[in-house]
Amino acid sequence: MMATTIPQTLLQLFREHLGAFPAEPLASFVSEISWDMAARAVEPGTLACLGYLDRVAEIARPEALRLVRFLAEHRQALLWQQTYTAADFGQHFVDSYGWLELFGTRGHFANENVAAGFLILGPEVVYPDHHHVAEEIYVPLTGGAEWRKEASGYLPRGAGEVIHHPSNVNHAMRTRAEPLLALYLWRGGPLAQKPVVSN
Ligand SMILES: [Fe+2]
């Protein structure tokens, strides 16, 4: 019998966590995920923002602690990436942000229909207005960040809230004193699109 890999365990914990959100709009995303995904042989990739996972593991919502602690413990064995450079939002942003695609068109597991993973933002970071074709869900696993959609102002969103961004809707987020860890899902558009930054 083959040993279970770190990405396989992470995928299992991720799947279990999504099961705690049986309502729409998350449920229909989950219903489109075929969990029998092929593993990709990707090399780990590290980023400066991974240091925030220690604090994240202290402040994450209790229901997410198993998932978050596993992620923090095995961070160096996973592939963390960035879409933006300092030319987009500045060096502080690049030093503070990163994401991990658990499954999708380029991450640890192959899925052409739904992409999902984790986003880290360090403290005092603004991720300005942007949009993309894919429909998106975020579930913050830590509280304290503020989110905006379309013309709304920034609203504080607690850990465990489900934040839904329909296709091509402008959205933004910003952190205060604490870092943010959120899980995300994308579907219905190019799953590796670089978001379009709004003017
Ligand atoms: Fe987005």
Side-chain angles (χ1 to χ4, degrees):
M1 194 172 153
M2 286 172 64
T4 304
T5 66
I6 288 167
Q8 283 169 343
T9 302
L10 185 62
L11 183 65
Q12 184 58 33
L13 291 170
F14 191 90
R15 181 180 185 178
E16 287 172 17
H17 196 70
L18 290 183
F21 299 89
E24 295 298 346
L26 213 160
S28 71
F29 277 72
V30 172
S31 72
E32 290 185 20
I33 300 168
S34 161
W35 293 99
D36 186 21
M37 295 175 233
R40 287 197 180 95
V42 297
E43 292 294 319
T46 192
L47 291 172
C49 68
L50 301 191
Y52 295 119
L53 286 173
D54 296 313
R55 180 61 182 156
V56 161
E58 292 175 352
I59 62 174
R61 66 192 293 252
E63 296 86 345
L65 275 181
R66 270 185 77 211
L67 175 63
V68 171
R69 284 176 179 161
F70 187 86
L71 186 69
E73 184 178 347
H74 297 285
R75 72 191 85 171
Q76 296 298 347
L78 297 161
L79 172 58
W80 297 90
Q81 302 186 75
Q82 295 183 321
T83 310
Y84 301 108
T85 67
D88 293 302
F89 303 137
Q91 191 62 43
H92 175 63
F93 186 90
V94 167
D95 291 342
S96 306
Y97 123 101
W99 48 265
L100 182 166
E101 186 181 274
L102 183 54
F103 56 87
T105 55
R106 54 193 161 168
H108 285 278
F109 296 91
N111 195 312
E112 298 297 319
N113 300 315
V114 182
F118 300 91
L119 172 75
I120 297 171
L121 286 183
E124 309 293 347
V125 172
V126 178
Y127 186 168
D129 277 324
H130 59 283
H131 60 275
H132 38 77
V133 176
E135 180 186 3
E136 174 179 66
I137 283 179
Y138 275 112
V139 179
L141 304 178
T142 56
E146 298 173 343
W147 303 67
R148 63 181 242 138
K149 180 162 68 171
E150 297 175 303
S152 82
Y154 280 101
L155 298 170
R157 299 284 212 152
E161 289 196 45
V162 175
I163 299 163
H164 181 216
H165 299 138
S167 175
N168 279 324
V169 162
N170 274 322
H171 51 279
M173 58 271 243
R174 67 186 183 196
T175 53
R176 296 297 196 175
E178 296 284 12
L180 168 73
L181 176 69
L183 66 79
Y184 72 84
L185 300 107
W186 273 31
R187 71 170 179 190
L191 297 180
Q193 181 191 358
K194 180 175 180 178
V196 179
V197 179
S198 314
N199 292 315

